[in-house]
Amino acid sequence: MSVQMVLLPVFVLVGLTFALLFGMMRTRRGAPASGEPNRAKQLADCYRDQFELPVLFYLLIALALPLRRADFVIVLLAWVFVVTRFAHAGIFVTSSDSAPRSTAWLASALVLFAMWLYFALKLLLLI
């Protein structure tokens, strides 16, 4: 796979992180006047969440590229991971219902686990 194809999902996820950052800043600035401190906290929590599970995703891509193990499966799973992270963030910032948010988080965690398992097997067993 080309470097661009491998890095595109990374750039999209980074874009989500910056979008949440700017949304959080805008909401925090207007929260006292609008009376929406809960919304500002939701965005802040969602932004902070982008530095938990996605860090393992970034690490996997950073290892897979120079080791030349970023193939079609890794890229496909990367896109699935990014889609689940968007779903998680969308639910996080629009609802206080934790059940669908937890489901989206679990889906992203399972996809990431599958990515790491595939990467480890591919690297260690040279498949």
Side-chain angles (χ1 to χ4, degrees), residues 9 74-86 107-108 111:
I74 291 289
V75 172
L76 179 66
L77 288 172
W79 278 114
V80 174
F81 179 76
V82 169
V83 167
T84 59
R85 295 306 299 169
F86 266 83
S108 66
V111 170

Side-chain angles (χ1 to χ4, degrees), residues 89-105:
I91 295 165
F92 205 133
V93 300
T94 60
S95 171
S96 59
D97 187 2
S98 65
R101 186 177 77 222
S102 296
T103 301
W105 182 90

Side-chain angles (χ1 to χ4, degrees), residues 1-11 57 61-62 64-65 70-71 74-75 78-79:
M1 303 287 327
S2 72
V3 172
Q4 293 88 346
M5 293 205 42
V6 176
L7 289 179
L8 188 56
V10 172
F11 294 148
F57 170 72
I61 299 299
L65 266 175
D71 61 4
I74 291 289
V75 172
W79 278 114

Side-chain angles (χ1 to χ4, degrees), residues 1 6 60-61 63-75 115 118-127:
M1 303 287 327
V6 176
L60 186 140
I61 299 299
L63 289 171
L65 266 175
L67 295 174
R68 299 188 185 276
R69 297 291 190 268
D71 61 4
F72 177 76
V73 174
I74 291 289
V75 172
M115 286 179 75
Y118 177 79
F119 175 67
L121 291 174
K122 189 170 176 67
L123 186 65
L124 297 175
L125 301 177
L126 301 172
I127 58 173

Side-chain angles (χ1 to χ4, degrees), residues 34-56:
S34 68
E36 290 188 9
N38 290 339
R39 174 94 170 122
K41 182 173 177 357
Q42 262 182 318
L43 279 164
D45 290 345
C46 189
Y47 171 72
R48 188 174 21 265
D49 194 55
Q50 301 312 307
F51 297 97
E52 295 174 2
L53 197 58
V55 170
L56 292 174

